[in-house]
Amino acid sequence: EALDWPGEGRWVSWPDQSRAVIIDDGGTLARRDPHAMARGCAAMTLGPVTRQNDGSVVLHLLVEAVSLAWRSEVDRGGMLPSIGFTSLSPRDVDQKGGLPEQMEFTGNSLVVLGDGSVCRRRAGGMFSRGNDLFARIPPGEVERRSGKLAPGYTMRAGQLLTVTWRPGSLKITADGDTVLDYADSPEEHFALVDTPPPGPVYA
């Protein structure tokens, strides 16, 4: 797989912790040995993503290539790349030792996992399981709710993925077609998605 952040966007990663390969002067993100492993390509935007006048934040990703080794059709078990937002800058992340082993463990983050689940970590620090990768995550460290990807969706090279975080909702489209549309339920006592934080937001 390879993802491009159209425009002036640049990616940054921590080589000791990620299988990410950054090429094209930082504008394209690819996974090392993409046919051998389906995950482990952790990176973030070097600069903040676009903020709209209504306070929402938007990230555009161009899918440049898709590995044939993994299913890309949702109906056959295919998944999206995990995508999220954080108010931590690359400098903040570097001071905390780099990105964690799982994206949803990033501090001050809202993350959509490949299966459509939505995760929120409100604490500013990175969560870590330490040496026990199967250790149970304590309550409150990472909030997680189920989401559902649109049936029939297939990731293809050339698609433009757009991720929009608005107050109370998170939406992903592919070439304008909805892939995921998650909204906070008014019946719940607290909001998961809530509102994008003020100031710069990174993806």
Side-chain angles (χ1 to χ4, degrees):
E1 290 85 351
L3 295 173
D4 181 51
W5 186 17
E8 297 301 317
R10 296 292 181 266
W11 298 100
V12 61
S13 71
W14 285 259
D16 293 343
Q17 302 162 308
S18 174
R19 300 178 65 83
V21 177
I22 299 175
I23 55 178
D24 295 337
D25 196 27
T28 299
L29 173 66
R31 187 172 63 246
R32 186 182 300 112
D33 301 324
H35 305 298
M37 186 175 293
R39 60 177 303 156
C41 180
M44 68 182 296
T45 56
L46 188 57
V49 297
T50 303
R51 184 179 291 274
Q52 307 294 329
N53 291 334
D54 64 358
S56 62
V57 291
V58 180
L59 173 69
H60 298 287
L61 295 171
L62 178 64
V63 180
E64 292 197 345
V66 176
S67 172
L68 298 178
W70 314 105
R71 291 175 176 169
S72 56
E73 305 94 340
V74 165
D75 294 344
R76 298 182 59 197
M79 296 192 295
L80 285 171
S82 295
I83 306 170
F85 298 99
T86 178
S87 60
L88 299 179
S89 69
R91 176 176 291 181
D92 296 330
V93 171
D94 191 59
Q95 291 174 346
K96 297 175 186 296
L99 290 169
E101 66 268 21
Q102 293 179 224
M103 274 187 59
E104 64 270 29
F105 294 170
T106 304
N108 295 339
S109 67
L110 177 69
V111 174
V112 179
L113 302 181
D115 64 357
S117 298
V118 180
C119 299
R120 185 75 183 267
R121 177 163 171 78
R122 301 178 192 273
M126 307 297 190
F127 175 73
S128 175
R129 287 190 171 114
N131 293 327
D132 187 354
L133 298 181
F134 300 100
R136 182 174 176 272
I137 301 174
E141 290 288 352
V142 179
E143 304 164 44
R144 179 171 177 166
R145 310 286 170 79
S146 297
K148 188 175 181 181
L149 300 177
Y153 169 68
T154 299
M155 179 177 288
R156 297 184 179 89
Q159 280 181 343
L160 181 66
L161 300 178
T162 301
V163 188
T164 305
W165 179 9
R166 290 190 173 90
S169 72
L170 187 72
K171 186 172 185 177
I172 300 177
T173 62
D175 293 335
D177 295 326
T178 299
V179 176
L180 174 79
D181 195 355
Y182 179 94
D184 283 333
S185 170
E187 289 79 22
E188 298 194 47
H189 296 292
F190 61 92
L192 176 71
V193 176
D194 205 359
T195 302
V201 173
Y202 302 79

